[in-house]
Amino acid sequence: PNGAGLYEKNLKGENKQYEVKLSRTWGNFDLKGGYLHEDVDYTSFQGRSGPSGFVDPHSGVTFTNGIRVDIRYGSIDGGPAGTPYYRITRGNITNPNIATKTKYDAYFLQSGIKYDKLNFKLGLRMEGQKMIGLDQTYEFKASDNIAPRLGVTYDMNGDGKSKLYAFWGRYFEKVPNDI
């Protein structure tokens, strides 16, 4: 086989983040809230290593970027067994330029109350992401990505050094720009 695989050149990524958090405590009760915004730009040029100028013997197409070509032996279209043929297992057949943007917004609200050795936390997070590509745009709305969270902590000795805790929550992961 010829070619070593995929490589990226002129890779450029930029992530601008803006965040605001507020908190307030009243005795054993606390309330926190916040907002996060990210503008993510990702640009890359994907190429293939391997021989440039390979001519596909069946179609006559000349590949200008590197590809991986395997020589196989078998029967094609009812031909005799053991006939050599070329199989392109990877090729740069689409526009290799990648330019994507993401607009990401997250909102959260969390409350907590401490009672003796117990600490209860209740929270809610909403996350939205708008992905903008060369050919299409897709949006996950924050109102559709609601993530509740609930936690309980027990301070076993009452000294803040040993704890037993349980947590339940729902999470959403940002879709990366380079897939």
Side-chain angles (χ1 to χ4, degrees), residues 129-149:
Q129 183 177 5
K130 184 176 184 178
M131 298 173 295
I132 305 160
L134 292 173
D135 299 325
Q136 63 186 20
T137 297
Y138 192 82
E139 185 171 2
F140 295 100
K141 295 180 182 176
S143 59
D144 294 335
N145 291 335
I146 298 173
R149 291 151 188 205

Side-chain angles (χ1 to χ4, degrees), residues 60-177:
V61 173
T62 301
F63 290 89
T64 57
N65 289 319
I67 59 173
R68 179 179 170 147
V69 180
D70 293 325
I71 298 175
R72 302 283 176 113
Y73 299 91
S75 176
I76 301 176
D77 298 328
T83 303
Y85 66 94
Y86 295 99
R87 179 171 180 248
I88 299 172
T89 56
R90 289 182 285 189
N92 208 3
I93 55 176
T94 61
N95 183 356
N97 293 311
I98 298 170
T100 58
K101 295 179 186 286
T102 290
K103 306 287 185 192
Y104 173 78
D105 294 291
Y107 313 84
F108 81 91
L109 188 61
Q110 176 181 310
S111 65
I113 188 164
K114 188 170 184 169
Y115 179 75
D116 195 29
K117 293 182 179 183
L118 289 172
N119 189 11
F120 299 95
K121 291 194 177 200
L122 179 64
L124 187 68
R125 185 175 177 96
M126 297 171 57
E127 300 181 33
Q129 183 177 5
K130 184 176 184 178
M131 298 173 295
I132 305 160
L134 292 173
D135 299 325
Q136 63 186 20
T137 297
Y138 192 82
E139 185 171 2
F140 295 100
K141 295 180 182 176
S143 59
D144 294 335
N145 291 335
I146 298 173
R149 291 151 188 205
L150 177 64
V152 178
T153 305
Y154 177 68
D155 186 353
M156 295 186 295
N157 298 325
D159 59 5
K161 294 182 180 180
S162 301
K163 67 179 179 179
L164 178 66
Y165 65 95
F167 176 80
W168 174 87
R170 184 175 184 186
Y171 289 86
F172 294 94
E173 184 175 355
K174 285 191 296 184
V175 178
N177 284 31

